[in-house]
Amino acid sequence: MVEHDKISFSATKRRKIKLNVMSSIIGLLVVVVLLNLLGSRHYFRWHLDSRDTSKLSPMTVEALKSLEQDVKVVVLFKKDLPLYASINNLLKEYETVTSRLKVQRVDYIENPQAAEAIKNKYRLTLPASDKETFFRDLVVFEIEGKPPRVIYEKEFSDFNVSDVVSGRDQKVKRIAFKGEMLFTGALASLMESGERVAYFSMGHNEFDPEEKDEISGYSKFAEILTQNYVEVKKFHIWAEETIPADCNLLIIPGPKKPLVDQEVVKVGEYLKRGGSLLVLFPQSGATRLEPLLKEWGVEVKDQLVYDPDVVLNQGLMLTNFNSQSPITRPLYGSQMYIPLTRAVSKTDFAGRAADAPQVMELLMSGPKGVLIASTTDGKEMQVESEQSRELSMAVSVEKGALQGVDSIKGTTRIVAVGGSVFLNNTWIDASFGNRDFAVLAVNWLLDRTQLMKGIGPRAIVEYQLNLSDVQINLLMWIMMAIVPGFVLGIGLIVWARRRN
């Protein structure tokens, strides 16, 4: 038997093979690194779920790409809170669009020193509760040279309380996430040049923007205006020759005493010059503004709107919003709570002429709405209209500059609401859409369309898997026996083949 010599490689050939293998590995690593670099600079992202709350709207992308200076974002949140994941994922989407966003994430439990430093820097506090002050669970947007914009935890979500009130559920559930609407609004307000001024009329027992009382105060509404870069001032219309020239928004917040004729004339002249007016009517009593608004296509009734389908504690839980209006379109899927309020609607002739004011009804009752009036004892209601129908409680008015009138501001805009209690310190900060309506109305009146268009709350969808006892047992056996047994069987087969 002839033995064949064993084939062997020379030392030189072995070195060449090693060098070739090492070169191939290095070349592969270089290709992988280059591909990663290209992928980090040129990539495409897509969302498999169209209802993803972190998917950005075109308006947000446009706003982010237009940033000309760095924006610092501070996320002061406890990371194990359910809301943190939604906020963090959304900000990651923002960061993929622009490098101008500098995000600092701080968990006040894990890093109390950093949290204290942030608190000292911004000197901000949350509303006091039980004589204790909390500074946590908020997001701060800041551009150098401007005051910061703060968004609190309770602003991020809409809640469904109707099921709890009706007894269908025992837990208040989040139904919508408003992160993008708030974040993009904060960016747009930071980029805006100059600060707007809102004047609150006083002297007629109106709600006071400096009053912190829960019932008679409007301080939280004033705080919202300040956070949105609107300076708040108070004045008496009768004490001025005209509405001040720097008035970007005139607010008449629920006057319980009527204005005098000369004051109404001044308001009318202000509107003709292209002014913006937010008028919130008291639940009862004439203000003398009713005839003026009728000239602009708005009818304010003395009766209140009542709807048995949405009534709750002498108020209405509204979900019927005008989807054609930029003010109420983002409220889709939300709900507002309004104590019984007067009917405010457009007149029959509104908008018919080419140059007539364009009037849109904003907040409506359901189809069972009726008009009612309080009885003398104030405890019972008397039906004024037997015909049930959708009834309006708020309108918006828009009209371009009037011919022959010196327009100092441009387009006249009005928002008239048949009630004013829903924006007091008790109700504006409740878990409803009252705050959102106030912000959206103010932004529209100030012509801040960049804060409004196309962005609203993102619905949160719950998925429930219902399994019978048989299906639960089958699933248990699959996870505890079949899957491990399959893996064990494959292992035994491989072991047996190798042994043979």
Side-chain angles (χ1 to χ4, degrees):
M1 186 175 180
V2 181
E3 293 184 1
H4 297 281
D5 294 336
K6 293 183 178 179
I7 300 176
S8 63
F9 296 104
S10 65
T12 302
K13 195 166 187 178
R14 286 198 300 269
R15 283 195 296 270
K16 288 182 178 179
I17 293 174
K18 289 180 181 179
L19 183 60
N20 185 45
V21 172
M22 290 180 65
S23 300
S24 300
I25 294 173
I26 293 172
L28 179 62
L29 290 175
V30 170
V31 171
V32 171
V33 171
L34 291 176
L35 287 175
N36 276 277
L37 287 175
L38 288 173
S40 65
R41 297 179 181 179
H42 308 280
Y43 57 88
F44 178 77
R45 297 167 60 87
W46 67 91
H47 294 259
L48 299 178
D49 186 357
S50 60
R51 293 168 295 191
D52 187 355
T53 56
S54 63
K55 184 179 179 181
L56 302 183
S57 67
M59 181 229 166
T60 295
V61 175
E62 179 183 346
L64 290 171
K65 290 182 177 180
S66 65
L67 289 176
E68 297 180 353
Q69 61 184 118
D70 290 347
V71 179
K72 183 177 181 180
V73 183
V74 179
V75 182
L76 188 62
F77 254 88
K78 188 179 178 183
K79 291 184 179 179
D80 60 359
L81 291 178
L83 193 59
Y84 175 78
S86 299
I87 292 173
N88 189 44
N89 291 337
L90 182 60
L91 285 174
K92 286 181 179 178
E93 293 292 326
Y94 277 59
E95 289 177 292
T96 61
V97 178
T98 178
S99 60
R100 290 286 190 182
L101 217 63
K102 311 299 181 183
V103 183
Q104 178 186 7
R105 298 169 174 87
V106 177
D107 187 322
Y108 51 82
I109 299 298
E110 296 180 356
N111 195 347
Q113 292 83 7
E116 187 66 24
I118 292 171
K119 178 179 178 180
N120 293 334
K121 176 181 179 180
Y122 295 106
R123 297 180 181 179
L124 300 170
T125 58
L126 286 176
S129 175
D130 297 330
K131 298 183 180 180
E132 294 183 8
T133 303
F134 298 91
F135 181 84
R136 62 187 187 190
D137 303 328
L138 51 84
V139 180
V140 181
F141 282 76
E142 181 185 23
I143 285 181
E144 186 177 355
K146 290 189 175 182
R149 168 76 170 94
V150 185
I151 305 170
Y152 299 108
E153 176 192 17
K154 56 190 172 182
E155 298 181 63
F156 282 101
S157 303
D158 278 335
F159 297 89
N160 181 9
V161 298
S162 58
D163 287 347
V164 177
V165 174
S166 63
R168 292 193 297 267
D169 202 339
Q170 296 180 346
K171 183 180 179 182
V172 177
K173 296 181 179 179
R174 293 174 59 228
I175 60 173
F177 176 64
K178 301 185 290 186
E180 185 186 3
M181 183 175 73
L182 294 169
F183 289 168
T184 304
L187 290 172
S189 61
L190 286 170
M191 291 186 294
E192 194 175 48
S193 59
E195 191 174 63
R196 309 298 182 90
V197 181
Y199 277 83
F200 280 77
S201 71
M202 294 283 105
H204 314 91
N205 285 352
E206 296 98 334
F207 286 93
D208 191 330
E210 296 178 353
E211 177 60 57
K212 298 185 182 299
D213 182 78
E214 291 296 309
I215 304 299
S216 62
Y218 256 33
S219 61
K220 290 184 179 179
F221 182 29
E223 181 183 348
I224 292 172
L225 294 174
T226 302
Q227 290 176 355
N228 283 272
Y229 301 98
V230 179
E231 183 181 357
V232 175
K233 294 183 179 180
K234 299 193 304 182
F235 82 122
H236 293 81
I237 300 177
W238 57 265
E240 306 287 338
E241 292 187 7
T242 61
I243 304 299
D246 65 338
C247 177
N248 301 111
L249 173 60
L250 173 61
I251 300 176
I252 304 179
K256 298 177 181 62
K257 292 182 180 180
L259 280 69
V260 299
D261 291 340
Q262 192 59 34
E263 290 177 312
V264 176
V265 170
K266 292 177 183 178
V267 174
E269 292 174 349
Y270 169 74
L271 293 176
K272 289 180 180 179
R273 296 197 307 272
S276 295
L277 169 68
L278 173 61
V279 54
L280 306 161
F281 284 91
Q283 193 178 58
S284 61
T287 64
R288 289 186 179 166
L289 291 169
E290 293 84 355
L292 173 64
L293 289 182
K294 201 158 190 176
E295 297 176 9
W296 292 87
V298 178
E299 182 177 9
V300 182
K301 296 182 179 295
D302 295 329
Q303 297 91 342
L304 307 177
V305 177
Y306 181 84
D307 185 346
D309 283 348
V310 295
V311 68
L312 176 64
N313 297 332
Q314 296 298 308
L316 301 180
M317 188 70 72
L318 300 182
T319 58
N320 190 6
F321 308 115
N322 187 347
S323 61
Q324 302 302 313
S325 168
I327 300 175
T328 48
R329 185 186 305 119
L331 294 176
Y332 176 78
S334 304
Q335 48 192 359
M336 287 179 59
Y337 180 76
I338 297 187
L340 292 183
T341 182
R342 297 165 71 175
V344 179
S345 59
K346 62 181 181 180
T347 59
D348 293 336
F349 64 85
R352 289 186 179 180
D355 60 344
Q358 300 302 308
V359 185
M360 298 186 71
E361 296 177 344
L362 304 176
L363 309 177
M364 279 79 67
S365 70
K368 293 185 180 179
V370 294
L371 295 176
I372 61 174
S374 301
T375 58
T376 54
D377 57 12
K379 296 181 180 179
E380 297 179 357
M381 298 294 178
Q382 179 180 355
V383 177
E384 292 286 316
S385 173
E386 296 181 357
Q387 183 181 1
S388 300
R389 64 187 189 278
E390 289 188 355
L391 294 170
S392 172
M393 289 159 276
V395 300
S396 65
V397 182
E398 184 174 18
K399 181 177 175 58
L402 298 176
Q403 292 185 356
V405 177
D406 182 20
S407 176
I408 60 173
K409 299 181 182 298
T411 302
T412 298
R413 291 189 171 187
I414 304 170
V415 171
V417 187
S420 51
V421 177
F422 77 105
L423 293 184
N424 70 5
N425 291 338
T426 297
W427 293 113
I428 193 171
D429 232 9
S431 299
F432 308 112
N434 297 17
R435 169 186 282 261
D436 300 330
F437 175 81
V439 173
L440 291 164
V442 167
N443 286 335
W444 180 80
L445 287 165
L446 295 175
D447 197 15
R448 285 171 156 178
T449 53
Q450 73 273 22
L451 299 184
M452 305 171 62
K453 59 182 180 182
I455 303 180
R458 299 287 182 90
I460 297 174
V461 182
E462 288 188 348
Y463 298 94
Q464 185 173 359
L465 182 62
N466 296 316
L467 297 175
S468 65
D469 291 340
V470 175
Q471 291 171 326
I472 293 174
N473 289 331
L474 177 61
L475 185 61
M476 180 185 67
W477 281 109
I478 290 174
M479 300 302 296
M480 296 182 62
I482 297 177
V483 174
F486 177 77
V487 175
L488 179 61
I490 295 295
L492 290 173
I493 292 172
V494 173
W495 173 78
R497 293 194 60 174
R498 285 186 175 181
R499 184 176 183 186
N500 294 333

